[in-house]
Amino acid sequence: MGTSATAVERGHGEQALDPEIIELLPEQGTWSEQDYLWLTNRTNRLVEFSDGYIEVLPMPTAKHQAISLYLLFALHALMQRTGGKVFYAPLRLHVRPGKYREPDLLLLRSADDPRQRDDGWEGADLVVEIVSRDDPDRDLVTKRGEYAQAGIPEYWIVDPQNETITVLRLADASYVEHGVFGRGTEATSASFPDFAVGVDARVDPPTPRIQKTQQA
């Protein structure tokens, strides 16, 4: 989902931007990469950049974050064994000139990979997106083409609505399906043969229960 740059929200208790300051911001379609980097260095919102346009992403739901947390722990355990690293959004990924994305999770096989940069990673070996209700095609179609163009070897699409995990592997310049995994199965990796996660817990993670204390 994209929206105007002026819609970037301020945190609780912070002063809103004056209209005069908002007028100084670039118009949609005219933002540069440096403008985008300036903006994202000053907000904790998920903001992506596409050829001059700022796209402010919706706030993740609790279910979205629970799925992300499960996969983060699983991939972190894998990277502890293999010597790589995995991070979670917000973290900028420079897909190509004029394009920055913020995948839900992104992984490098080597902790010393030189593509790690403060302004944004210049590549990844695996990325994960959790499909949002607001614009499913962004993750299912648009980013599939972009991540393939960027040469990212593996792309996981976790779709809570359809209760599937689609694992894509790069073949030449486009993705092919390594597998579409549904309930009752384990999603496996094309790049890490020993890695698998159960689909049920990922598309429908348990909700924590808070027990009310009785008052005397």
Side-chain angles (χ1 to χ4, degrees):
M1 177 181 69
T3 186
S4 69
T6 58
V8 176
E9 298 176 1
R10 291 286 172 175
H12 179 70
E14 292 185 11
Q15 184 178 4
L17 287 176
D18 292 331
E20 292 81 4
I21 296 177
I22 293 176
E23 290 179 0
L24 298 176
L25 296 175
E27 294 289 333
Q28 282 283 50
T30 67
W31 283 71
S32 68
E33 289 193 9
Q34 290 304 312
D35 294 332
Y36 165 74
L37 294 174
W38 175 89
L39 174 67
T40 49
N41 282 337
R42 289 162 176 80
T43 179
N44 59 3
R45 288 294 305 271
L46 293 174
V47 183
E48 297 183 329
F49 177 66
S50 183
D51 298 319
Y53 288 84
I54 294 297
E55 300 175 7
V56 181
L57 304 186
M59 187 65 66
T61 64
K63 183 173 183 177
H64 179 288
Q65 293 300 78
I67 294 170
S68 178
L69 187 63
Y70 269 112
L71 289 172
L72 174 65
F73 286 161
L75 289 169
H76 177 69
L78 174 67
M79 292 299 96
Q80 290 289 98
R81 299 196 306 269
T82 62
K85 62 170 53 176
V86 58
F87 281 103
Y88 51 89
L91 180 64
R92 296 172 295 218
L93 175 65
H94 195 197
V95 177
R96 61 165 173 78
K99 181 80 70 173
Y100 280 86
R101 292 301 189 186
E102 296 208 27
D104 289 306
L105 298 167
L106 59 172
L107 174 155
L108 290 172
R109 283 179 170 274
S110 171
D112 298 324
D113 194 307
R115 291 176 293 176
Q116 304 169 70
R117 299 179 59 183
D118 288 339
D119 285 347
W121 284 16
E122 292 294 332
D125 294 316
L126 186 152
V127 296
V128 178
E129 294 284 10
I130 301 165
V131 178
S132 300
R133 289 181 179 270
D134 73 292
D135 186 5
D137 281 350
R138 181 176 57 238
D139 299 316
L140 296 170
V141 179
T142 304
K143 290 185 178 181
R144 175 173 178 158
E146 292 173 353
Y147 293 152
Q149 183 183 19
I152 296 171
E154 187 165 338
Y155 177 30
W156 284 43
I157 305 173
V158 182
D159 190 338
Q161 286 71 52
N162 290 325
E163 300 183 336
T164 59
I165 296 177
T166 300
V167 179
L168 305 171
R169 64 175 178 83
L170 195 63
D172 296 325
S174 61
Y175 284 124
V176 297
E177 289 182 357
H178 169 71
V180 179
F181 306 93
R183 281 193 175 277
T185 67
E186 288 191 330
T188 62
S189 169
S191 305
F192 301 94
D194 297 331
F195 181 73
V197 294
V199 174
D200 288 14
R202 273 55 188 178
V203 300
D204 191 19
T207 302
R209 297 180 62 185
I210 301 175
Q211 185 175 0
K212 293 182 180 179
T213 58
Q214 293 184 347
Q215 303 217 354

